[in-house]
Amino acid sequence: MSRPFELDPLFRRLTTLPGVGEKNAALFERLLGGQKVLDLLWHFPIDVIDRRFSPNINEAPNGRVATMEVRVIKHFPNARRSQPYRVKCSDNTGELNLTFFRANKGWIEKLLPEGERRVVSGKVEYYQGNPQIVHPDVVSPEERESLQTVEPIYPLTAGITNKVVRKAAIGALGFIPKLPEWLDPSYKKQQQWIEWDEALDAVHNPQSVGALDPEHPIRQRLAYDELLANQLTLGLVRQRQKKLGGRSFECPGLLREKMIEALPFSLTGAQERALSDIDTDMVAKARMLRLVQGDVGSGKTVVAALAMLRAVECGAQAAMMAPTEILARQHAESLKPLLEACGVRSIILTGRDKGKAREVLLQQIANGAAQIIIGTHAIFQDDVIYEDLGLAVIDEQHRFGVEQRLSLSSKGKGTDVLVMTATPIPRTLTLTAYGDMDVSRLDEKPPGRKPVETLLLPSEKLESMVDGLQRKISEGARVYWVCPLVEESEFSDMAAAEERYDVLKQFFGDQVGLVHGRMKAEEKDAVMAQFASGALKVLVATTVIEVGVNVPEATIMVIEHAERFGLSQLHQLRGRVGRGSDQSYCFLLYSGPLGETAKERLSVMRATEDGFIIAEKDLELRGSGDILGVKQSGALNFKIANIEVHGELLATARDDVKLILDRDPELSSERGLALKTLLYLFERDQAIQYLRSG
Ligand code: ADP
Ligand code: MG
């Protein structure tokens, strides 16, 4: 099935609409993020101006939009260009001034001839005790109906007025087709929702401010449609993954036993539980798609390693992808002795490996000499061929879309997929971003960790803090020193870090190292390695250390301009310390007087170390937006739905989809066909491909 022809009008170019030409098409595209009629129909009004209110002049309240019939008394043209042109009008009850700035005299005279009656509309404002309207809309009394309406106000961009958008939108409304109903009839009835086409029309013709409420039934219905399409897509991806068939990794677990023996600690209950979830998935024939969510320091790496050993013991390969070179190296190095202890051969492959060296590595991957492959994106390049990839682990990746996850597992036959994230994603977000995955939570930290003591300090106190650090360092402490984000530019971040590095060298001499994003990978590694070994005591860094670095001996974290960081980012950074058994500290330095929100944010950091609470607080203080980088995955780019408001609808949509796919996995029933139309409507064409190639 290709896109149903009924939808065609919605996919026509905007230029087919009144008032949209080649000239302003680009502006429209900037405003709407697309060029289709549908993009405009998804562009909902954010306000209404009610022009139905029609008082006498003496009853018109200050600040309210009113439409009034008046007689034009006299024009007062402006003497200088900087002055306004005024027109005095009246009705039986009082006088009203109409005010025009930089207007053309001839045009105003034509619009408002002296002695004539006119209907004027606009926001009434009192100026020196008299009511006035600046730049009113004006029509003749016969045209009154055309003016006295409820006018929706759209989000705009420079160069496009509300009139132009409105005109095009009215045109677009004429393109809305009748479509088969994809909602469950009883749910629709229970919610008292109207038809899709009526709802879309109504949303563009709000009759009051109440209609703009995201919880208004009309908006709810449209939001539900979108959430349903989202959940159905994820459901189909999952269904296909499962159907493609996985393989059963059934083995006694000898390798794993060896590794557990080699570990200097015993697993936490949460780690055991996650592993048992993973084992169940891996033993089952269906393919695994599991997310392990655990706060920083909860010990995800070892869980991943133990999962990989199961694949290896069954004769398959396992690969683990980290988001950065540093992290990939660190994983490889920390796992190597453990893997060697069980006689497992591992290699590391990153973008840095080139030419002959890379050839050798690729060969080891292709002939199975490498049993465990650790690396960056490089390990999933097209020309990397695995002998037999059984398990793919993605570490710290919330920046991955559903499609990318698919391409990963297509590297092998029925490859199991395990995603590890430190991001404490609130439940509702998990559902949209990872709705296609099963979730295990590491909700328990390894024992013996002392809470990190967090201190807020004004940056003027920097020197006295440095004195304190000197003492700590002489006692063996190691310090991360994170420099501020500067204008989102990597280059100025680096400059700030270099400057701080120079200053700190005066205090700590050659015990200070520097890493920033612009350094060559080898240089970064070398510095990190020196810090890990203790040759360096202070590591000055831009946020490159944010993700996943593990140096248990580091007990002090200094973050400059902490007020510029997001809460979740601060949480991730702070999670770099407090990994050993010594007391750790986190200094949050801030500059200048802090606003209320900034103060509240920073004190949240002092109050708790619980990633979930912090994430929720973040959501609350920042509104939605780019929480935790989840937005970048595209999973949260809803056009209509707003998960903070529509969380319950989301849960319903998920359950709805489960039922649908249980009963009608091919979407071939009447409702199934309607649901396909829904998927096309939301441009989830790819999801439909999954159905076909099933
Ligand atoms: P994250 O979940 O942030 O990736 P890591 O896997 O890097 O955490 O683990 C953090 C630290 O905790 C590492 O030094 C690791 O060796 C240690 N660790 C992991 N599991 C345990 C455990 N059960 N008991 C004690 N220490 C552990
Ligand atoms: Mg980790």
Side-chain angles (χ1 to χ4, degrees):
M1 163 171 167
S2 55
R3 192 170 71 213
F5 68 90
E6 292 96 323
L7 293 179
D8 286 351
L10 302 174
F11 285 81
R12 271 188 219 143
R13 278 185 37 107
L14 283 169
T15 44
T16 52
L17 297 174
V20 190
E22 290 306 331
K23 263 199 190 146
N24 55 2
L27 290 176
F28 264 97
E29 190 173 351
R30 174 165 353 131
L31 178 65
L32 306 174
Q35 291 204 345
K36 303 179 299 301
V37 169
L38 189 57
D39 297 316
L40 181 58
L41 287 169
W42 293 145
H43 191 66
F44 292 176
I46 46 168
D47 202 355
V48 289
I49 294 184
D50 189 346
R51 296 190 187 280
R52 292 172 303 188
F53 179 55
S54 183
N56 291 322
I57 290 178
N58 69 346
E59 294 167 331
N62 186 25
R64 180 159 175 194
V65 173
T67 300
M68 293 171 281
E69 186 164 337
V70 296
R71 182 175 296 284
V72 181
I73 308 291
K74 192 169 165 46
H75 283 232
F76 298 94
N78 47 330
R80 265 177 281 128
R81 224 182 128 59
S82 59
Q83 294 172 332
Y85 188 121
R86 289 184 197 282
V87 180
K88 189 200 278 187
C89 304
S90 73
D91 66 4
N92 299 331
T93 70
E95 285 185 354
L96 175 72
N97 282 312
L98 305 179
T99 305
F100 298 85
F101 294 96
R102 266 180 261 131
N104 172 296
K105 180 160 185 278
W107 176 75
I108 300 179
E109 280 170 350
K110 222 162 125 199
L111 190 69
L112 294 156
E114 284 181 8
E116 299 274 321
R117 303 192 70 78
R118 285 289 180 269
V119 176
V120 300
S121 178
K123 195 203 265 182
V124 177
E125 289 160 317
Y126 277 74
Y127 178 69
Q128 294 174 346
N130 301 311
Q132 69 161 359
I133 298 178
V134 178
H135 293 186
D137 287 284
V138 181
V139 295
S140 67
E142 299 77 61
E143 298 167 309
R144 182 182 190 117
E145 295 245 303
S146 74
L147 186 60
Q148 203 169 359
T149 57
V150 184
E151 184 187 342
I153 304 297
Y154 290 91
L156 301 173
T157 187
I160 301 190
T161 62
N162 197 60
K163 267 206 179 104
V164 171
V165 175
R166 180 61 185 158
K167 189 167 162 195
I170 289 174
L173 293 180
F175 283 64
I176 299 177
K178 254 287 159 284
L179 297 175
E181 183 58 80
W182 47 74
L183 294 182
D184 172 55
S186 56
Y187 183 57
K188 180 179 166 201
K189 198 160 162 207
Q190 179 204 326
Q191 296 288 323
Q192 301 185 312
W193 285 343
I194 58 175
E195 305 290 308
W196 175 77
D197 56 329
E198 291 168 12
L200 194 53
D201 190 274
V203 94
H204 285 278
N205 291 302
Q207 291 305 302
S208 68
V209 186
L212 306 168
D213 186 342
E215 294 189 71
H216 189 281
I218 287 173
R219 293 224 172 186
Q220 281 209 354
R221 160 164 195 158
L222 296 171
Y224 187 80
D225 291 338
E226 184 173 36
L227 294 168
L228 189 60
N230 164 270
Q231 290 299 304
L232 188 55
T233 304
L234 295 172
L236 288 171
V237 169
R238 178 195 194 81
Q239 175 174 294
R240 171 168 131 120
Q241 290 272 12
K242 297 229 149 141
K243 198 157 65 189
L244 281 180
R247 43 205 285 189
S248 173
F249 291 114
E250 183 85 83
C251 62
L254 300 176
L255 285 180
R256 181 182 292 184
E257 255 171 51
K258 274 195 198 145
M259 180 152 164
I260 289 178
E261 259 168 49
L263 287 175
F265 48 75
S266 49
L267 298 178
T268 64
Q271 284 170 324
E272 303 257 17
R273 283 190 294 278
L275 272 171
S276 111
D277 291 346
I278 290 168
D279 286 345
T280 310
D281 288 355
M282 288 184 76
V283 168
K285 264 221 143 347
R287 84 166 48 182
M288 171 168 75
L289 263 181
R290 181 166 293 277
L291 176 72
V292 173
Q293 201 179 317
D295 211 345
V296 277
S298 58
K300 294 181 292 295
T301 318
V302 72
V303 171
L306 292 168
M308 291 199 286
L309 286 182
R310 174 168 282 273
V312 170
E313 186 169 323
C314 294
Q317 291 166 300
M320 173 144 113
M321 181 174 82
T324 65
E325 178 101 30
I326 289 184
L327 204 53
R329 302 252 153 221
Q330 186 189 294
H331 283 329
E333 268 144 39
S334 65
L335 292 180
K336 201 162 185 192
L338 293 169
L339 293 174
E340 271 168 4
C342 352
V344 171
R345 297 178 303 273
S346 64
I347 61 160
I348 170 158
L349 174 68
T350 70
R352 188 196 307 178
D353 300 299
K354 302 240 158 66
K356 191 87 192 100
R358 182 165 186 270
E359 285 304 312
V360 172
L361 291 170
L362 292 195
Q363 211 159 33
Q364 292 176 342
I365 298 173
N367 67 21
Q371 294 168 294
I372 286 187
I373 298 94
I374 297 171
T376 54
H377 281 79
I379 65 176
F380 293 116
Q381 299 297 307
D382 281 343
D383 61 342
V384 181
I385 317 263
Y386 288 79
E387 187 204 31
D388 178 21
L389 182 62
L391 170 66
V393 180
I394 309 165
D395 188 25
E396 307 279 0
Q397 260 312 1
H398 34 271
R399 298 185 172 107
F400 246 44
V402 173
E403 272 80 23
Q404 283 166 301
R405 253 176 265 148
L406 279 178
S407 82
L408 249 180
S409 54
S410 64
K411 281 284 177 194
K413 287 193 204 70
T415 303
D416 283 336
V417 176
L418 188 63
V419 177
M420 326 283 283
T421 180
T423 307
I425 307 167
R427 218 188 80 81
T428 40
L429 302 202
T430 316
L431 213 53
T432 39
Y434 299 106
D436 58 330
M437 307 193 85
D438 300 303
V439 181
S440 301
R441 291 219 158 89
L442 295 182
D443 48 10
E444 177 186 348
K445 289 208 175 166
R449 301 256 170 95
K450 292 209 185 85
V452 177
E453 194 168 318
T454 300
L455 301 112
L456 304 186
L457 279 185
S459 50
E460 298 85 61
K461 293 269 169 68
L462 191 139
E463 288 216 2
S464 62
M465 183 191 70
V466 168
D467 286 342
L469 291 185
Q470 251 162 341
R471 198 160 1 97
K472 284 274 174 205
I473 287 171
S474 66
E475 292 165 16
R478 260 171 262 173
V479 182
Y480 289 109
W481 191 297
V482 179
C483 288
L485 297 165
V486 187
E487 296 163 2
E488 311 251 314
S489 131
E490 210 183 333
F491 188 76
S492 26
D493 278 0
M494 178 192 77
E498 280 179 336
E499 204 178 303
R500 179 56 67 212
Y501 171 66
D502 288 338
V503 171
L504 290 178
K505 259 204 308 211
Q506 295 165 16
F507 291 93
F508 301 110
D510 54 10
Q511 292 178 302
V512 193
L514 170 69
V515 279
H516 58 68
R518 292 205 150 201
M519 277 161 71
K520 284 220 187 68
E522 289 90 348
E523 296 170 340
K524 269 192 252 181
D525 294 349
V527 178
M528 287 305 298
Q530 282 177 300
F531 184 65
S533 74
L536 291 175
K537 304 288 191 204
V538 181
L539 183 69
V540 178
T542 54
T543 46
V544 290
I545 62 159
E546 182 182 348
V547 234
V549 181
N550 186 37
V551 181
E553 295 82 2
T555 50
I556 298 173
M557 169 67 66
V558 179
I559 304 174
E560 285 194 62
H561 277 295
E563 77 279 3
R564 293 190 194 164
F565 290 87
L567 278 188
S568 306
Q569 216 177 356
L570 290 175
H571 176 67
Q572 301 281 331
L573 286 170
R574 183 173 59 186
R576 301 303 121 218
V577 296
R579 298 187 154 224
S581 49
D582 288 341
Q583 176 62 51
S584 290
Y585 301 88
C586 175
F587 294 93
L588 301 177
L589 299 182
Y590 60 88
S591 298
L594 291 179
E596 273 311 307
T597 317
K599 239 182 246 164
E600 201 178 333
R601 280 152 40 90
L602 291 183
S603 43
V604 170
M605 290 305 293
R606 207 174 40 188
T608 181
E609 270 191 82
D610 184 321
F612 271 94
I613 296 179
I614 291 176
E616 261 153 29
K617 205 72 194 164
D618 205 15
L619 199 63
E620 183 189 314
L621 291 175
R622 277 209 281 177
S624 162
D626 183 27
I627 178 164
L628 318 162
V630 177
K631 199 169 166 190
Q632 290 158 2
S633 71
L636 297 179
N637 287 337
F638 289 120
K639 300 177 171 87
I640 304 161
N642 171 352
I643 35 164
E644 282 158 63
V645 183
H646 300 127
E648 229 163 275
L649 292 181
L650 178 64
T652 310
R654 196 222 11 212
D655 296 345
D656 199 0
V657 163
K658 234 186 212 145
L659 272 180
I660 293 162
L661 292 180
D662 274 352
R663 283 191 209 138
D664 181 18
E666 306 290 325
L667 297 186
S668 51
S669 67
E670 197 181 328
R671 185 176 176 210
L673 292 172
L675 284 161
K676 284 188 192 171
T677 305
L678 173 72
L679 290 172
Y680 278 111
L681 181 66
F682 282 96
E683 297 169 71
R684 303 288 195 160
D685 301 25
Q686 185 157 10
I688 293 169
Q689 306 301 321
Y690 301 151
L691 265 180
R692 186 177 322 155
S693 50

